Amino acid sequence: MLLPILLLSAAGFTVLTTEFVIVGLLPSIARDLQVSVSQAGLLVTLFAFTVAAFGPFLTAYFARFPRKQLFISVLLMFGLANTLAALAPNIWVMALARLVPALGLPVFWALASETAVDIVGPDHAGRAIAKIGFGIVCATVFGIPVGTLIADAFGWRSAFGILALVAFAKALLLWVYLPKTRPHNPQASLRAQFRILRSPLMQGHVLLSILVFSGMFTAYTYLADILERLAGFDGTLVGWCLMGFGAVGLIGNSLGGRAVDRHPLIASMVFCALMIGGMLALVPSIDSTLGLAAAMGVWGVTQAAMFLVSHVRLIKAAPQAPAFAASLNIAGANLGIGLGAMVGGRVIDTLGLGSLGMAASAFILLSIALALLLMNLKTPPACASVNAPGA
């Protein structure tokens, strides 16, 4: 059963790469479609806001459908959307090409782990979920730099064209090798799951994800532009810098996994504090190779750690409804990604690229303050009988 799990992991890589690859392509897209970088950045906002607005509801609705047909349909949709992006003649067609896959991403992400467990059985659930998670981590770590390198060599449209071909190929492989599994009967109604949001603690945890991802993507959305315009790097060098940023993220993923099991909120505060240091040091170190590498290294490690910490933190905060809590984190994170891209674009237009680190750090400081507040909140009655560290 290893092959179907690996194929789901690979499909997850394609799905998440479709969301994040555009970050490294914004300068090229802006030039070709004759819009500003901040206007092109709204494509990131559109994708993220769509996931945030519709993710939990679409996941709940499509959970009743057979998984094999559902995942194949999602990948076919991603293939068609990426084809449209590769051919987009203007920003409006590009926006449509970004809107469509945003509807499928949360459905795939939320249900892939459950399907992996169905395939291998509960005795091997941990290893199956870890393999699915590895595909997602690799997308957040390597999807952007690989896309940037492809775009520099062959043009940004080729990056979307290759993603389209990969999506179609993986849909075919899932059709051949993914076994059929029956959808689960939900343990609780949608209304019962939404009831956990009545808790101020859960509301605070969702808000914390929004603030953290707003801070990260206020600056990260425009990192390629910073390296091009402020550091003077060409497209190839930008791609390799983003690759290094992603590579050290594997260290952050490992550190985050260990820290979040000890105390999710303390882990959030520690990684956020270190992230502020990396963000603020980036622009002052732009002319120093060693200083720039150190700043990007700290930022890359902590950002990757926070992807994992945020996801696990929400699940631990609602052990009675972990799948729904995970969907809330997906929604909150994408709302933050969209807000961050929007705020970052506004900062560029008004204060310049050099001010992005300060604006991003303001969001991260707010998240640290909120985490301190959440540590002082009592566990709600619904969770009181469950051992949920960091809740």
Side-chain angles (χ1 to χ4, degrees):
M1 289 301 170
L2 179 62
L3 179 58
I5 303 300
L6 293 178
L7 287 175
L8 279 176
S9 179
F13 175 86
T14 303
V15 168
L16 267 292
T17 297
T18 296
E19 176 175 12
F20 293 121
V21 70
I22 195 170
V23 170
L25 310 181
L26 284 181
S28 300
I29 292 174
R31 286 191 295 267
D32 194 29
L33 300 184
Q34 299 181 346
V35 296
S36 68
V37 172
S38 59
Q39 288 173 322
L42 292 176
L43 295 170
V44 179
T45 299
L46 173 66
F47 195 110
F49 279 3
T50 303
V51 173
F54 297 102
F57 303 99
L58 288 173
T59 300
Y61 177 77
F62 283 104
R64 71 189 74 178
F65 287 78
R67 298 292 185 263
K68 182 172 181 175
Q69 292 91 322
L70 181 63
F71 292 151
I72 291 172
S73 298
V74 168
L75 283 170
L76 290 175
M77 181 174 67
F78 270 70
L80 292 172
N82 283 322
T83 300
L84 182 61
L87 301 173
N90 55 55
I91 194 68
W92 302 108
V93 175
M94 190 68 183
L96 176 62
R98 300 297 293 168
L99 175 66
V100 171
L103 297 172
L105 180 143
V107 176
F108 183 94
W109 192 0
L111 298 178
S113 295
E114 177 190 273
T115 303
V117 175
D118 288 341
I119 292 171
V120 303
D123 291 340
H124 302 285
R127 280 177 285 181
I129 293 175
K131 288 181 174 64
I132 299 295
F134 183 73
I136 294 172
V137 168
C138 284
T140 60
V141 167
F142 295 115
I144 295 173
V146 168
T148 304
L149 290 172
I150 292 172
D152 185 63
F154 306 106
W156 66 268
R157 295 180 186 276
S158 64
F160 286 106
I162 291 173
L163 267 177
L165 292 176
V166 170
F168 289 136
K170 289 178 181 176
L172 177 61
L173 289 172
L174 288 180
W175 180 67
V176 174
Y177 294 107
L178 185 66
K180 294 182 178 180
T181 59
R182 294 181 179 179
H184 285 196
N185 292 321
Q187 296 179 353
S189 67
L190 187 60
R191 180 180 298 178
Q193 294 182 70
F194 268 100
R195 203 170 291 146
I196 68 174
L197 278 174
R198 295 179 182 176
S199 162
L201 183 68
M202 280 303 300
Q203 295 168 12
H205 274 286
V206 175
L207 178 59
L208 181 55
S209 288
I210 295 172
L211 288 174
V212 167
F213 280 83
S214 294
M216 291 196 301
F217 280 81
T218 292
Y220 185 57
T221 302
Y222 305 99
L223 180 56
D225 199 33
I226 291 173
L227 295 174
E228 278 195 16
R229 288 205 278 161
L230 297 187
F233 295 167
D234 60 21
T236 301
L237 188 52
V238 168
W240 284 112
C241 286
L242 294 176
M243 182 70 77
F245 187 98
V248 298
L250 292 177
I251 300 173
N253 184 65
S254 177
L255 294 176
R258 297 177 184 179
V260 74
D261 281 335
R262 296 184 183 129
H263 201 299
L265 288 172
I266 291 178
S268 294
M269 289 187 290
V270 170
F271 286 118
C272 281
L274 293 171
M275 189 188 303
I276 289 174
M279 286 179 168
L280 292 180
L282 183 72
V283 173
S285 305
I286 206 77
D287 294 322
S288 167
T289 301
L290 184 59
L292 181 61
M296 289 188 65
V298 172
W299 184 3
V301 167
T302 53
Q303 178 155 307
M306 285 307 300
F307 271 96
L308 178 63
V309 168
S310 296
H311 196 67
V312 176
R313 174 175 51 77
L314 261 294
I315 292 174
K316 285 180 176 287
Q320 75 277 29
F324 184 68
S327 73
L328 291 176
N329 179 64
I330 295 170
N334 277 276
L335 181 57
I337 290 170
L339 285 172
M342 187 182 298
V343 170
R346 183 65 176 170
V347 169
I348 291 173
D349 290 340
T350 56
L351 302 175
L353 273 172
S355 300
L356 283 176
M358 291 292 294
S361 296
F363 278 112
I364 303 298
L365 278 174
L366 286 175
S367 74
I368 294 174
L370 178 57
L372 283 169
L373 178 62
L374 291 176
M375 288 180 65
N376 295 321
L377 286 180
K378 293 182 179 179
T379 302
C383 301
S385 62
V386 183
N387 181 19

